[in-house]
Every structure is written in C-alpha cells, then in structure tokens.
Amino acid sequence: LQSLCFYVIAASRRDSEFSTEAGLKYFILGAFSSGILLFGCSMIYGLTGVTDFEELAKIFAGYEITLFSAQSSGLFLGILFIAVGFSL
C-alpha cells in the first residue's frame, strides 16, 4: 500500500509523457518484484512447511545443499527468488 502512493507521485504530472511513463514503469517493476518475492516465499514454505524464522534457521543450519537433490535445488531457488525480489 505504501508503494501505491509513490506510483501516484511518479505519475502526478498529467501533461508530461515522461511522468506517465515513469509511473507505469515503476508500477510494473513493483508488481514484478512482489511476484518474484512471493514466489520465493511460497517455494520455501512448500519445501519446508514452516514460516517461523527460528524454525527455518534450525532447518538451514543442519542442511547440506547438494546440486543433485531436488529439494535442495528448490530451496536454493527459493532463496535466490527472495534475494532478487528484494533487490528489485
């Protein structure tokens, strides 16, 4: 909800094409990054079954990531999606 205010502010000058373009690009980038972040969260929840950070830390502390395991690849992709979602 906080980002919606910034989208409106970016596109506030109605007579400027640059302002409209900036607002639309900002909205699309925000929707895209939110979708990637939520997909990463859902992958981690789907593979571990927990949402508590303490439980996730316990799981990841004793977890060995191998390249050939489907579950470890999914967890790695989930963490990667979350990092990309935060960085966008």
Side-chain angles (χ1 to χ4, degrees):
L1 290 174
Q2 183 181 7
S3 295
L4 284 174
C5 299
F6 293 125
Y7 302 150
V8 171
I9 290 171
S12 62
R13 296 185 69 191
R14 291 184 172 262
D15 56 344
S16 173
E17 291 180 12
F18 296 115
S19 178
T20 306
E21 181 183 357
L24 184 64
K25 284 182 180 178
Y26 190 34
F27 175 73
I28 289 172
L29 182 67
F32 188 67
S33 66
S34 295
I36 289 176
L37 179 74
L38 288 174
F39 186 65
C41 290
S42 68
M43 284 182 69
I44 289 179
Y45 174 71
L47 291 170
T48 61
V50 295
T51 57
D52 187 26
F53 287 130
E54 291 180 19
E55 293 295 322
L56 281 173
K58 289 177 187 175
I59 290 171
F60 289 141
Y63 199 80
E64 182 177 325
I65 294 179
T66 59
L67 295 176
F68 302 109
S69 173
Q71 186 174 8
S72 66
S73 298
L75 288 174
F76 177 73
L77 278 175
I79 293 170
L80 183 68
F81 279 142
I82 289 174
V84 168
F86 276 129
S87 67
L88 288 179

